[in-house]
């Protein structure tokens, strides 16, 4: 497993959500103060506020990609196109390894879970959830992308 993958898994096991765990693993490269970074990505856990939509690890990976490679000129259509292609490439890599980028599908849930109450992080929670592995995969994909595109 990659260094960033291990680091992101460690953050998750400390209680950070999936997106926060990915962002924290790349915090030193992003250059945003830790508390601010954590708040910026806090909404993406649980598949967007626990709606079980796009996986938080994927959202965290996209956040990191935006912070490091994103565009800032709304009229620069080439930069926008290149960034969207980058995001689609990262999503395709994640999907190829996991089968989906959707939280509820990765968790094997039938419908959306819209309860705002987060699950307690118990030993049983970690045994039945694929989240640490999903986080490691997303971090590893982003780490490899960084090596190819410094």
């Amino acid at each position: 497993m990659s260094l960033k993958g291990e680091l992101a898994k460690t953050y998750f096991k400390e209680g950070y959500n999936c997106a926060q765990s990915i962002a924290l693993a790349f915090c030193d490269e992003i250059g945003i103060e830790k508390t601010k970074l954590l708040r910026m990505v806090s909404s993406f856990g649980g598949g967007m506020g626990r709606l079980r939509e796009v996986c938080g690890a994927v959202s965290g990976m996209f956040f990191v990609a935006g912070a490091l490679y994103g565009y800032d000129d709304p009229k620069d259509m080439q930069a926008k196109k290149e960034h969207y292609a980058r995001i689609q490439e990262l999503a395709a890599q994640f999907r190829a390894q996991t089968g989906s980028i959707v939280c509820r599908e990765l968790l094997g849930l039938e419908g959306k879970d819209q309860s705002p109450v987060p699950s307690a992080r118990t030993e049983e929670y970690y045994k039945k959830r694929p989240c640490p592995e999903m986080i490691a995969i997303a971090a590893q994909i982003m780490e490899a992308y960084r090596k190819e595109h410094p």
Side-chain angles (χ1 to χ4, degrees):
M1 180 177 305
S2 73
L3 177 65
K4 297 288 188 179
E6 282 295 332
L7 188 56
K9 277 177 72 171
T10 298
Y11 286 130
F12 183 74
K13 290 181 178 178
E14 288 177 9
Y16 293 103
N17 75 34
C18 302
Q20 289 173 320
S21 299
I22 298 293
L24 279 173
F26 291 89
C27 187
D28 58 332
E29 297 177 49
I30 294 173
I32 299 173
E33 186 269 323
K34 182 180 173 181
T35 301
K36 186 175 210 161
L37 179 74
L38 288 168
R39 288 181 179 174
M40 290 172 76
V41 296
S42 64
S43 301
F44 305 131
M48 305 288 177
R50 214 166 175 277
L51 290 171
R52 306 300 189 207
E53 297 294 341
V54 175
C55 169
V58 173
S59 295
M61 179 173 60
F62 292 171
F63 175 87
V64 170
L68 298 173
Y69 301 101
Y71 64 92
D72 55 16
D73 180 354
K75 293 182 175 122
D76 186 346
M77 298 309 277
Q78 184 61 31
K80 190 182 283 194
K81 174 185 166 188
E82 289 171 6
H83 189 63
Y84 288 172
R86 176 180 301 111
I87 296 305
Q88 290 179 11
E89 176 186 336
L90 293 170
Q93 288 182 39
F94 188 88
R95 189 180 290 113
Q97 291 187 49
T98 65
S100 181
I101 66 167
V102 178
C103 176
R104 69 179 164 276
E105 292 173 3
L106 295 167
L107 293 177
L109 301 173
E110 289 296 318
K112 296 179 185 176
D113 180 357
Q114 295 186 3
S115 169
V117 180
S119 300
R121 298 285 184 89
T122 63
E123 193 68 33
E124 186 60 34
Y125 171 91
Y126 289 112
K127 285 181 185 175
K128 68 179 184 175
R129 296 288 178 147
C131 302
E133 289 73 31
M134 300 299 110
I135 289 163
I137 289 168
Q140 183 174 334
I141 290 168
M142 192 70 239
E143 185 176 13
Y145 189 89
R146 291 285 294 143
K147 286 179 183 171
E148 293 175 20
H149 306 89

